[in-house]
Amino acid sequence: DAKTTQPNSMESNEEEPVHLPCNHSTISGTDYIHWYRQLPSQGPEYVIHGLTSNVNNRMASLAIAEDRKSSTLILHRATLRDAAVYYCIRNSGNTPLVFGKGTRLSVIA
Amino acid sequence: DADVTQTPRNRITKTGKRIMLECSQTKGHDRMYWYRQDPGLGLRLIYYSFDVKDINKGEISDGYSVSRQAQAKFSLSLESAIPNQTALYFCATSDLTPNNEQFFGPGTRLTVL
């Protein structure tokens, strides 16, 4: 049970921003929100994580709703290299990550 | 050199054979994991270990066993392989932090005929 809900697929044009949504309505107070992505033929890689406040790093931004029941991963300018499956995961840190099916992002040149 | 390595990268075997997949890490992490991925699906947890003396079953442990020989090594065994164990297998490691960032190996593609 991944405990998060994501769209199966999304499409974006190259160099445009992408907003990937995730619902986690049953999130507990100690759960972090993690995002990983899996490029073709590779293992998943960490993208970003947050608890309550919005977060930015060199790869992406994470916007967390005030009630923490949803979040959005923002890629500011999609490139062809960003085409991947993106996984949204809620986790308290004391248990292994549980991966759902994620969102398959296609980037159109 | 890669922080998390898996051997072999590809393996074709026959039904009933015993297979061992090996994972090594140089990150110094205590926690190690084995996941399985089937086409079009996310990763499912097979076994995990939070330190050398700790072994825990995951979501789909039936038909698999593991050995944590040292902090850096975590092996996955299929005692008697069957065709529905054909999949991509990933090893991962993490440290004990709230971040719980997991670092994944490149995967082993296993085919059971």
Side-chain angles (χ1 to χ4, degrees):
Chain A
D1 180 8
K3 303 178 184 177
T4 63
T5 304
Q6 300 178 251
N8 290 331
S9 63
M10 291 185 65
E11 208 171 74
S12 173
N13 293 319
E14 195 177 14
E15 298 190 3
E16 290 188 357
V18 183
H19 291 234
L20 297 165
C22 180
N23 286 319
H24 29 78
S25 58
T26 60
I27 195 168
S28 72
T30 57
D31 282 347
Y32 283 77
I33 300 154
H34 304 259
W35 283 83
Y36 281 71
R37 72 178 186 180
Q38 187 174 18
L39 301 171
S41 302
Q42 295 187 25
E45 63 176 355
Y46 168 84
V47 177
I48 199 166
H49 79 286
L51 185 60
T52 56
S53 304
N54 294 344
V55 184
N56 300 294
N57 66 19
R58 63 175 180 81
M59 291 180 70
S61 295
L62 176 59
I64 302 172
E66 197 169 332
D67 63 6
R68 301 212 323 127
K69 293 185 177 181
S70 65
S71 62
T72 301
L73 179 71
I74 302 166
L75 307 179
H76 296 285
R77 287 184 66 204
T79 69
L80 296 177
R81 285 193 68 254
D82 291 321
V85 178
Y86 287 79
Y87 299 98
C88 169
I89 301 165
R90 42 170 281 208
N91 183 268
S92 66
N94 296 320
T95 57
L97 301 180
V98 176
F99 290 78
K101 295 182 180 181
T103 296
R104 181 174 297 279
L105 175 66
S106 301
V107 179
I108 303 169
Chain B
D1 288 341
D3 295 320
V4 184
T5 57
Q6 294 184 231
T7 55
R9 294 293 313 278
N10 289 282
R11 181 73 184 268
I12 299 173
T13 190
K14 295 181 178 179
T15 298
K17 293 290 187 181
R18 183 177 188 275
I19 296 297
M20 180 179 287
L21 309 183
E22 301 196 21
C23 176
S24 295
Q25 53 113 347
T26 58
K27 299 192 73 67
H29 289 166
D30 285 325
R31 299 180 170 189
M32 297 188 74
Y33 313 85
W34 276 104
Y35 290 90
R36 163 182 173 157
Q37 186 171 36
D38 294 281
L41 300 180
L43 283 74
R44 290 184 292 169
L45 184 67
I46 306 172
Y47 270 97
Y48 64 100
S49 169
F50 279 1
D51 65 44
V52 175
K53 298 179 182 179
D54 178 68
I55 299 291
N56 302 282
K57 292 183 177 181
E59 178 188 356
I60 53 164
S61 59
D62 287 349
Y64 302 94
S65 63
V66 292
S67 173
R68 185 81 185 267
Q69 304 95 319
Q71 185 200 43
K73 296 185 182 296
F74 193 35
S75 300
L76 176 71
S77 294
L78 289 67
E79 296 301 326
S80 180
I82 57 177
N84 76 2
Q85 291 178 313
T86 293
L88 191 54
Y89 290 83
F90 288 103
C91 173
T93 75
S94 70
D95 208 345
L96 179 58
T97 64
N99 176 17
N100 202 21
E101 180 180 349
Q102 291 187 196
F103 296 83
F104 285 80
T108 294
R109 186 170 297 281
L110 177 66
T111 302
V112 183
L113 302 176

Short mmCIF file of all heavy atoms in Angstrom, two decimals, chain B residues 27-70:
data_model
loop_
_atom_site.label_atom_id
_atom_site.label_comp_id
_atom_site.label_asym_id
_atom_site.label_seq_id
_atom_site.Cartn_x
_atom_site.Cartn_y
_atom_site.Cartn_z
N LYS B 27 29.13 3.00 1.02
CA LYS B 27 28.63 4.23 1.64
C LYS B 27 28.68 4.18 3.16
O LYS B 27 28.42 5.20 3.81
CB LYS B 27 27.19 4.50 1.18
CG LYS B 27 27.08 4.68 -0.34
CD LYS B 27 25.76 5.22 -0.77
CE LYS B 27 25.60 6.70 -0.43
NZ LYS B 27 26.50 7.59 -1.17
N GLY B 28 28.96 3.02 3.73
CA GLY B 28 29.01 2.92 5.18
C GLY B 28 27.65 2.93 5.84
O GLY B 28 27.53 3.22 7.03
N HIS B 29 26.61 2.66 5.07
CA HIS B 29 25.25 2.67 5.61
C HIS B 29 24.94 1.38 6.35
O HIS B 29 25.37 0.30 5.97
CB HIS B 29 24.24 2.86 4.47
CG HIS B 29 24.26 4.23 3.90
ND1 HIS B 29 23.63 4.52 2.69
CD2 HIS B 29 24.78 5.39 4.33
CE1 HIS B 29 23.77 5.79 2.44
NE2 HIS B 29 24.49 6.35 3.41
N ASP B 30 24.12 1.52 7.39
CA ASP B 30 23.69 0.34 8.13
C ASP B 30 22.52 -0.38 7.48
O ASP B 30 22.36 -1.58 7.62
CB ASP B 30 23.28 0.74 9.56
CG ASP B 30 24.48 1.05 10.43
OD1 ASP B 30 25.52 0.40 10.26
OD2 ASP B 30 24.38 1.95 11.29
N ARG B 31 21.67 0.37 6.79
CA ARG B 31 20.43 -0.21 6.28
C ARG B 31 20.59 -0.64 4.83
O ARG B 31 21.12 0.10 4.00
CB ARG B 31 19.30 0.82 6.38
CG ARG B 31 19.02 1.24 7.82
CD ARG B 31 17.91 2.26 7.88
NE ARG B 31 17.48 2.49 9.27
CZ ARG B 31 16.41 3.20 9.62
NH1 ARG B 31 15.65 3.75 8.69
NH2 ARG B 31 16.09 3.35 10.89
N MET B 32 20.09 -1.85 4.53
CA MET B 32 20.12 -2.35 3.16
C MET B 32 18.79 -3.02 2.83
O MET B 32 18.11 -3.54 3.70
CB MET B 32 21.29 -3.32 2.96
CG MET B 32 22.65 -2.66 3.18
SD MET B 32 24.05 -3.69 2.73
CE MET B 32 23.98 -3.64 0.93
N TYR B 33 18.45 -2.99 1.52
CA TYR B 33 17.13 -3.42 1.07
C TYR B 33 17.24 -4.19 -0.25
O TYR B 33 18.13 -3.92 -1.06
CB TYR B 33 16.23 -2.20 0.81
CG TYR B 33 16.23 -1.16 1.90
CD1 TYR B 33 17.21 -0.17 1.95
CD2 TYR B 33 15.23 -1.14 2.87
CE1 TYR B 33 17.21 0.80 2.94
CE2 TYR B 33 15.21 -0.16 3.86
CZ TYR B 33 16.21 0.80 3.89
OH TYR B 33 16.19 1.76 4.87
N TRP B 34 16.31 -5.10 -0.44
CA TRP B 34 16.13 -5.74 -1.74
C TRP B 34 14.71 -5.49 -2.21
O TRP B 34 13.74 -5.75 -1.50
CB TRP B 34 16.37 -7.24 -1.68
CG TRP B 34 17.81 -7.62 -1.80
CD1 TRP B 34 18.66 -8.02 -0.82
CD2 TRP B 34 18.58 -7.64 -3.01
NE1 TRP B 34 19.90 -8.28 -1.33
CE2 TRP B 34 19.89 -8.06 -2.67
CE3 TRP B 34 18.30 -7.34 -4.35
CZ2 TRP B 34 20.90 -8.19 -3.61
CZ3 TRP B 34 19.31 -7.46 -5.28
CH2 TRP B 34 20.59 -7.89 -4.91
N TYR B 35 14.61 -4.97 -3.47
CA TYR B 35 13.32 -4.72 -4.10
C TYR B 35 13.25 -5.50 -5.41
O TYR B 35 14.26 -5.80 -6.03
CB TYR B 35 13.16 -3.24 -4.46
CG TYR B 35 12.98 -2.28 -3.30
CD1 TYR B 35 14.08 -1.68 -2.69
CD2 TYR B 35 11.71 -1.93 -2.86
CE1 TYR B 35 13.92 -0.78 -1.65
CE2 TYR B 35 11.54 -1.02 -1.83
CZ TYR B 35 12.64 -0.45 -1.24
OH TYR B 35 12.46 0.46 -0.22
N ARG B 36 12.04 -5.73 -5.80
CA ARG B 36 11.78 -6.37 -7.09
C ARG B 36 10.87 -5.45 -7.92
O ARG B 36 9.96 -4.83 -7.38
CB ARG B 36 11.08 -7.70 -6.86
CG ARG B 36 10.39 -8.29 -8.05
CD ARG B 36 9.70 -9.57 -7.73
NE ARG B 36 8.93 -10.00 -8.89
CZ ARG B 36 8.56 -11.24 -9.13
NH1 ARG B 36 8.87 -12.20 -8.26
NH2 ARG B 36 7.87 -11.53 -10.20
N GLN B 37 11.12 -5.37 -9.24
CA GLN B 37 10.29 -4.55 -10.11
C GLN B 37 9.87 -5.36 -11.33
O GLN B 37 10.70 -5.90 -12.04
CB GLN B 37 11.03 -3.29 -10.57
CG GLN B 37 10.14 -2.34 -11.36
CD GLN B 37 10.81 -1.00 -11.64
OE1 GLN B 37 12.01 -0.94 -11.87
NE2 GLN B 37 10.04 0.07 -11.60
N ASP B 38 8.56 -5.42 -11.52
CA ASP B 38 8.00 -6.08 -12.70
C ASP B 38 7.60 -5.00 -13.70
O ASP B 38 7.33 -3.85 -13.31
CB ASP B 38 6.81 -6.94 -12.30
CG ASP B 38 7.24 -8.10 -11.41
OD1 ASP B 38 7.76 -9.08 -11.96
OD2 ASP B 38 7.10 -8.01 -10.17
N PRO B 39 7.54 -5.35 -14.98
CA PRO B 39 7.26 -4.34 -16.02
C PRO B 39 6.02 -3.50 -15.71
O PRO B 39 4.95 -4.05 -15.42
CB PRO B 39 7.08 -5.19 -17.28
CG PRO B 39 7.89 -6.41 -17.03
CD PRO B 39 7.76 -6.68 -15.55
N GLY B 40 6.16 -2.20 -15.81
CA GLY B 40 5.02 -1.29 -15.63
C GLY B 40 4.60 -1.09 -14.19
O GLY B 40 3.63 -0.37 -13.94
N LEU B 41 5.31 -1.69 -13.27
CA LEU B 41 4.93 -1.59 -11.87
C LEU B 41 6.01 -0.88 -11.08
O LEU B 41 7.15 -0.75 -11.52
CB LEU B 41 4.68 -2.97 -11.27
CG LEU B 41 3.58 -3.81 -11.93
CD1 LEU B 41 3.47 -5.15 -11.23
CD2 LEU B 41 2.25 -3.07 -11.90
N GLY B 42 5.65 -0.44 -9.89
CA GLY B 42 6.63 0.14 -8.99
C GLY B 42 7.46 -0.95 -8.33
O GLY B 42 7.34 -2.13 -8.63
N LEU B 43 8.32 -0.55 -7.42
CA LEU B 43 9.19 -1.50 -6.73
C LEU B 43 8.45 -2.10 -5.53
O LEU B 43 7.74 -1.40 -4.82
CB LEU B 43 10.45 -0.79 -6.23
CG LEU B 43 11.52 -0.49 -7.27
CD1 LEU B 43 11.11 0.65 -8.18
CD2 LEU B 43 12.84 -0.17 -6.59
N ARG B 44 8.66 -3.38 -5.33
CA ARG B 44 8.07 -4.06 -4.16
C ARG B 44 9.21 -4.59 -3.29
O ARG B 44 10.16 -5.18 -3.79
CB ARG B 44 7.14 -5.19 -4.61
CG ARG B 44 5.86 -4.70 -5.28
CD ARG B 44 4.94 -5.87 -5.62
NE ARG B 44 5.49 -6.72 -6.67
CZ ARG B 44 4.99 -7.91 -7.00
NH1 ARG B 44 3.94 -8.40 -6.35
NH2 ARG B 44 5.53 -8.61 -7.97
N LEU B 45 9.05 -4.43 -2.00
CA LEU B 45 10.10 -4.78 -1.05
C LEU B 45 10.10 -6.27 -0.76
O LEU B 45 9.06 -6.85 -0.45
CB LEU B 45 9.90 -3.99 0.25
CG LEU B 45 10.93 -4.15 1.33
CD1 LEU B 45 12.28 -3.55 0.89
CD2 LEU B 45 10.45 -3.46 2.61
N ILE B 46 11.28 -6.90 -0.85
CA ILE B 46 11.40 -8.33 -0.60
C ILE B 46 11.89 -8.58 0.84
O ILE B 46 11.24 -9.28 1.61
CB ILE B 46 12.38 -8.99 -1.59
CG1 ILE B 46 11.98 -8.68 -3.04
CG2 ILE B 46 12.40 -10.51 -1.38
CD1 ILE B 46 13.02 -9.14 -4.06
N TYR B 47 13.04 -8.03 1.16
CA TYR B 47 13.63 -8.13 2.50
C TYR B 47 14.39 -6.84 2.78
O TYR B 47 14.81 -6.14 1.87
CB TYR B 47 14.63 -9.29 2.57
CG TYR B 47 14.06 -10.63 2.98
CD1 TYR B 47 13.72 -11.56 2.00
CD2 TYR B 47 13.91 -10.98 4.31
CE1 TYR B 47 13.21 -12.81 2.36
CE2 TYR B 47 13.40 -12.22 4.68
CZ TYR B 47 13.05 -13.13 3.70
OH TYR B 47 12.55 -14.37 4.05
N TYR B 48 14.59 -6.57 4.08
CA TYR B 48 15.45 -5.46 4.45
C TYR B 48 16.18 -5.77 5.74
O TYR B 48 15.76 -6.64 6.52
CB TYR B 48 14.67 -4.15 4.54
CG TYR B 48 13.60 -4.08 5.60
CD1 TYR B 48 13.82 -3.44 6.82
CD2 TYR B 48 12.33 -4.62 5.36
CE1 TYR B 48 12.81 -3.35 7.77
CE2 TYR B 48 11.32 -4.54 6.30
CZ TYR B 48 11.57 -3.90 7.51
OH TYR B 48 10.57 -3.82 8.45
N SER B 49 17.26 -5.03 5.97
CA SER B 49 18.12 -5.26 7.12
C SER B 49 18.57 -3.90 7.65
O SER B 49 19.11 -3.10 6.90
CB SER B 49 19.33 -6.09 6.70
OG SER B 49 20.31 -6.13 7.70
N PHE B 50 18.36 -3.66 8.93
CA PHE B 50 18.74 -2.38 9.51
C PHE B 50 20.12 -2.41 10.14
O PHE B 50 20.68 -1.38 10.51
CB PHE B 50 17.69 -1.91 10.52
CG PHE B 50 16.50 -1.24 9.88
CD1 PHE B 50 16.40 -1.11 8.50
CD2 PHE B 50 15.47 -0.72 10.66
CE1 PHE B 50 15.30 -0.49 7.91
CE2 PHE B 50 14.37 -0.09 10.08
CZ PHE B 50 14.29 0.02 8.71
N ASP B 51 20.67 -3.59 10.36
CA ASP B 51 22.07 -3.74 10.72
C ASP B 51 22.45 -5.20 10.51
O ASP B 51 21.62 -6.01 10.11
CB ASP B 51 22.38 -3.25 12.14
CG ASP B 51 21.71 -4.07 13.23
OD1 ASP B 51 21.70 -5.32 13.14
OD2 ASP B 51 21.19 -3.47 14.18
N VAL B 52 23.69 -5.55 10.79
CA VAL B 52 24.22 -6.87 10.45
C VAL B 52 23.42 -7.99 11.10
O VAL B 52 23.24 -9.06 10.51
CB VAL B 52 25.70 -6.97 10.83
CG1 VAL B 52 26.22 -8.37 10.58
CG2 VAL B 52 26.52 -5.98 10.02
N LYS B 53 22.87 -7.78 12.26
CA LYS B 53 22.16 -8.86 12.95
C LYS B 53 20.65 -8.80 12.75
O LYS B 53 19.90 -9.53 13.40
CB LYS B 53 22.46 -8.79 14.46
CG LYS B 53 23.93 -8.99 14.79
CD LYS B 53 24.18 -8.87 16.29
CE LYS B 53 25.65 -9.03 16.60
NZ LYS B 53 25.93 -8.90 18.07
N ASP B 54 20.21 -7.95 11.85
CA ASP B 54 18.78 -7.71 11.67
C ASP B 54 18.32 -8.09 10.27
O ASP B 54 18.88 -7.65 9.28
CB ASP B 54 18.51 -6.22 11.92
CG ASP B 54 17.05 -5.87 11.72
OD1 ASP B 54 16.23 -6.32 12.54
OD2 ASP B 54 16.74 -5.15 10.75
N ILE B 55 17.29 -8.95 10.19
CA ILE B 55 16.69 -9.33 8.91
C ILE B 55 15.18 -9.22 9.06
O ILE B 55 14.61 -9.73 10.04
CB ILE B 55 17.04 -10.79 8.53
CG1 ILE B 55 18.55 -10.97 8.38
CG2 ILE B 55 16.31 -11.19 7.24
CD1 ILE B 55 19.16 -10.26 7.18
N ASN B 56 14.54 -8.58 8.08
CA ASN B 56 13.09 -8.40 8.14
C ASN B 56 12.47 -8.73 6.80
O ASN B 56 13.00 -8.38 5.75
CB ASN B 56 12.75 -6.94 8.47
CG ASN B 56 13.37 -6.50 9.77
OD1 ASN B 56 12.88 -6.82 10.84
ND2 ASN B 56 14.47 -5.77 9.69
N LYS B 57 11.31 -9.38 6.86
CA LYS B 57 10.57 -9.69 5.63
C LYS B 57 9.86 -8.44 5.14
O LYS B 57 9.37 -7.63 5.92
CB LYS B 57 9.54 -10.79 5.89
CG LYS B 57 10.15 -12.14 6.18
CD LYS B 57 9.07 -13.20 6.35
CE LYS B 57 9.68 -14.57 6.58
NZ LYS B 57 8.64 -15.62 6.73
N GLY B 58 9.81 -8.35 3.81
CA GLY B 58 9.05 -7.28 3.20
C GLY B 58 7.72 -7.78 2.68
O GLY B 58 7.20 -8.80 3.14
N GLU B 59 7.20 -7.08 1.71
CA GLU B 59 5.88 -7.38 1.16
C GLU B 59 5.81 -8.73 0.47
O GLU B 59 4.79 -9.42 0.52
CB GLU B 59 5.51 -6.26 0.19
CG GLU B 59 4.19 -6.42 -0.53
CD GLU B 59 4.00 -5.36 -1.62
OE1 GLU B 59 4.87 -4.47 -1.75
OE2 GLU B 59 2.99 -5.45 -2.34
N ILE B 60 6.90 -9.13 -0.20
CA ILE B 60 6.86 -10.33 -1.04
C ILE B 60 8.06 -11.23 -0.77
O ILE B 60 8.83 -11.54 -1.67
CB ILE B 60 6.80 -9.95 -2.53
CG1 ILE B 60 7.93 -8.99 -2.90
CG2 ILE B 60 5.46 -9.33 -2.90
CD1 ILE B 60 8.16 -8.89 -4.39
N SER B 61 8.23 -11.73 0.44
CA SER B 61 9.42 -12.50 0.80
C SER B 61 9.33 -13.99 0.45
O SER B 61 10.36 -14.67 0.42
CB SER B 61 9.68 -12.35 2.29
OG SER B 61 8.56 -12.82 3.03
N ASP B 62 8.14 -14.51 0.18
CA ASP B 62 8.01 -15.94 -0.12
C ASP B 62 8.83 -16.32 -1.33
O ASP B 62 8.76 -15.69 -2.38
CB ASP B 62 6.54 -16.31 -0.36
CG ASP B 62 5.72 -16.31 0.92
OD1 ASP B 62 6.34 -16.25 2.00
OD2 ASP B 62 4.49 -16.39 0.82
N GLY B 63 9.63 -17.41 -1.19
CA GLY B 63 10.45 -17.88 -2.29
C GLY B 63 11.84 -17.27 -2.31
O GLY B 63 12.66 -17.62 -3.17
N TYR B 64 12.10 -16.37 -1.37
CA TYR B 64 13.39 -15.68 -1.29
C TYR B 64 13.98 -15.84 0.12
O TYR B 64 13.25 -16.04 1.08
CB TYR B 64 13.25 -14.19 -1.57
CG TYR B 64 12.66 -13.83 -2.90
CD1 TYR B 64 11.29 -13.60 -3.05
CD2 TYR B 64 13.47 -13.71 -4.03
CE1 TYR B 64 10.75 -13.27 -4.27
CE2 TYR B 64 12.94 -13.37 -5.26
CZ TYR B 64 11.57 -13.15 -5.37
OH TYR B 64 11.04 -12.82 -6.60
N SER B 65 15.30 -15.73 0.21
CA SER B 65 15.98 -15.63 1.50
C SER B 65 17.13 -14.65 1.34
O SER B 65 17.54 -14.35 0.22
CB SER B 65 16.50 -16.99 1.98
OG SER B 65 17.47 -17.50 1.08
N VAL B 66 17.63 -14.13 2.46
CA VAL B 66 18.72 -13.16 2.40
C VAL B 66 19.77 -13.51 3.44
O VAL B 66 19.54 -14.24 4.40
CB VAL B 66 18.23 -11.72 2.64
CG1 VAL B 66 17.37 -11.23 1.47
CG2 VAL B 66 17.50 -11.61 3.96
N SER B 67 20.95 -12.93 3.23
CA SER B 67 22.05 -13.06 4.17
C SER B 67 22.76 -11.72 4.25
O SER B 67 23.11 -11.13 3.23
CB SER B 67 23.01 -14.14 3.70
OG SER B 67 24.16 -14.17 4.50
N ARG B 68 22.98 -11.24 5.48
CA ARG B 68 23.73 -9.99 5.69
C ARG B 68 25.08 -10.39 6.26
O ARG B 68 25.27 -10.51 7.47
CB ARG B 68 22.96 -9.07 6.64
CG ARG B 68 23.61 -7.72 6.82
CD ARG B 68 23.28 -6.78 5.69
NE ARG B 68 24.00 -5.52 5.79
CZ ARG B 68 23.52 -4.43 6.39
NH1 ARG B 68 22.33 -4.45 6.96
NH2 ARG B 68 24.24 -3.33 6.42
N GLN B 69 26.03 -10.57 5.37
CA GLN B 69 27.33 -11.12 5.77
C GLN B 69 28.20 -10.09 6.50
O GLN B 69 29.07 -10.44 7.29
CB GLN B 69 28.10 -11.62 4.54
CG GLN B 69 27.37 -12.66 3.70
CD GLN B 69 26.62 -12.03 2.53
OE1 GLN B 69 25.99 -10.99 2.67
NE2 GLN B 69 26.70 -12.68 1.37
N ALA B 70 27.97 -8.85 6.19
CA ALA B 70 28.75 -7.76 6.78
C ALA B 70 27.95 -6.48 6.56
O ALA B 70 26.95 -6.48 5.83
CB ALA B 70 30.12 -7.66 6.11
#
